[in-house]
């Protein structure tokens, strides 16, 4: 741990209910026309203190980052919650591995732990630099994909977005990492031709 940050008081939590809450928010984002990504922030007592979902392309409201390319689920959550009290005691749960912006923001805010349901082999921070090697992440515990059934659920949910939004190279990385989960998106193309 860094000398200037307190040792986190991170309880042992059952990750599944929080990841499920993030996946539910991802579905809300998808239903609203945004990318299917959701996030919840949990305090040291296991209570959800903030919720966020992707809002890229939605109308901006004062409490959300809305209609901006930075309106990712984690940023939506952070803008809503404002100043974090004792961030080293908090756990961020996301449906998808955070990108560099969201992972970096979490680290700079001093969040004690980040847990995600599904890897993002193209857009996730880990593609560019291993989480444990990033200087800002040294004080953040990182727990990728602890629940296999929720990882698969998240991959099935996000795969169509990955196919639509990522370049071919990104889609190929998704197909390599999640071959079964990306097959339905590939099948949709076959059915449409």
């Amino acid at each position: 741990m860094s000398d200037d940050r307190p040792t986190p008081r991170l309880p042992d939590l059952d990750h599944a209910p929080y990841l499920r809450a993030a996946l539910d928010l991802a579905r809300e984002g998808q239903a609203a026309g945004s990318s299917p990504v959701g996030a919840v922030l949990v305090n040291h007592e296991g209570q959800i203190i903030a919720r966020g979902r992707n809002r890229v392309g939605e109308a901006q409201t004062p409490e959300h980052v809305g209609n901006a390319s930075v309106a990712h689920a984690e940023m939506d959550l952070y803008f809503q919650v404002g100043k974090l009290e004792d961030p080293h005691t908090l756990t961020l749960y996301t449906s998808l591995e955070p990108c560099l912006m969201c992972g970096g923001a979490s680290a700079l805010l001093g969040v004690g732990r980040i847990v995600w349901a599904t890897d993002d082999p193209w857009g996730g921070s880990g593609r560019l630099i291993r989480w444990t090697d990033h200087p800002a992440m040294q004080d953040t515990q990182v727990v990728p994909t602890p629940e296999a059934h929720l990882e698969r659920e998240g991959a099935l949910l996000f795969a169509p977005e990955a196919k639509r939004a990522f370049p071919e190279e990104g889609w190929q990385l998704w197909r390599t990492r999640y071959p079964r989960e990306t097959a339905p998106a590939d099948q949709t193309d076959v059915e449409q031709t």
Side-chain angles (χ1 to χ4, degrees):
M1 302 301 301
S2 296
D3 294 335
D4 57 340
R5 287 195 186 168
T7 303
R9 296 180 316 171
L10 296 168
D12 289 331
L13 297 172
D14 177 6
H15 299 309
Y18 305 110
L19 292 172
R20 174 130 338 265
L23 286 163
D24 289 345
L25 287 161
R27 284 186 194 79
E28 284 182 27
Q30 184 180 47
S34 289
S35 295
V37 183
V40 297
L41 193 62
V42 176
N43 69 14
H44 69 279
E45 295 172 348
Q47 299 167 327
I48 295 176
I49 60 169
R51 298 170 192 271
R53 63 174 177 79
N54 189 291
R55 294 179 186 278
V56 174
E58 295 178 43
Q60 189 166 354
T61 60
E63 69 275 8
H64 300 290
V65 292
N67 200 18
S69 59
V70 297
H72 292 189
E74 300 89 343
M75 300 307 287
D76 177 43
L77 180 150
Y78 290 138
F79 275 89
Q80 288 181 65
V81 77
K83 183 164 175 50
L84 297 176
E85 297 295 325
D86 299 319
H88 63 283
T89 67
L90 303 176
T91 300
L92 172 70
Y93 287 92
T94 68
S95 61
L96 187 69
E97 178 184 359
C99 69
L100 281 173
M101 174 180 67
C102 297
S106 299
L108 291 172
L109 291 169
V111 173
R113 177 170 46 202
I114 301 173
V115 183
W116 61 83
T118 304
D119 288 335
D120 184 350
W122 172 255
S125 289
R127 176 176 161 261
L128 301 175
I129 182 170
R130 286 193 319 230
W131 284 83
T132 54
D133 289 347
H134 194 289
M137 298 302 291
Q138 298 308 301
D139 294 327
T140 303
Q141 180 185 0
V142 176
V143 183
T145 67
E147 302 284 336
H149 68 290
L150 296 177
E151 177 182 13
R152 184 175 195 304
E153 186 178 324
L156 284 166
L157 181 64
F158 194 80
E161 177 69 12
K163 182 171 179 54
R164 183 193 68 74
F166 294 159
E168 186 59 28
E169 176 188 359
W171 179 239
Q172 290 305 317
L173 289 172
W174 263 81
R175 289 178 69 197
T176 299
R177 175 67 176 92
Y178 293 112
R180 288 180 28 210
E181 293 81 359
T182 55
D186 279 337
Q187 186 62 35
T188 301
D189 284 350
V190 171
E191 291 169 0
Q192 292 175 353
T193 57

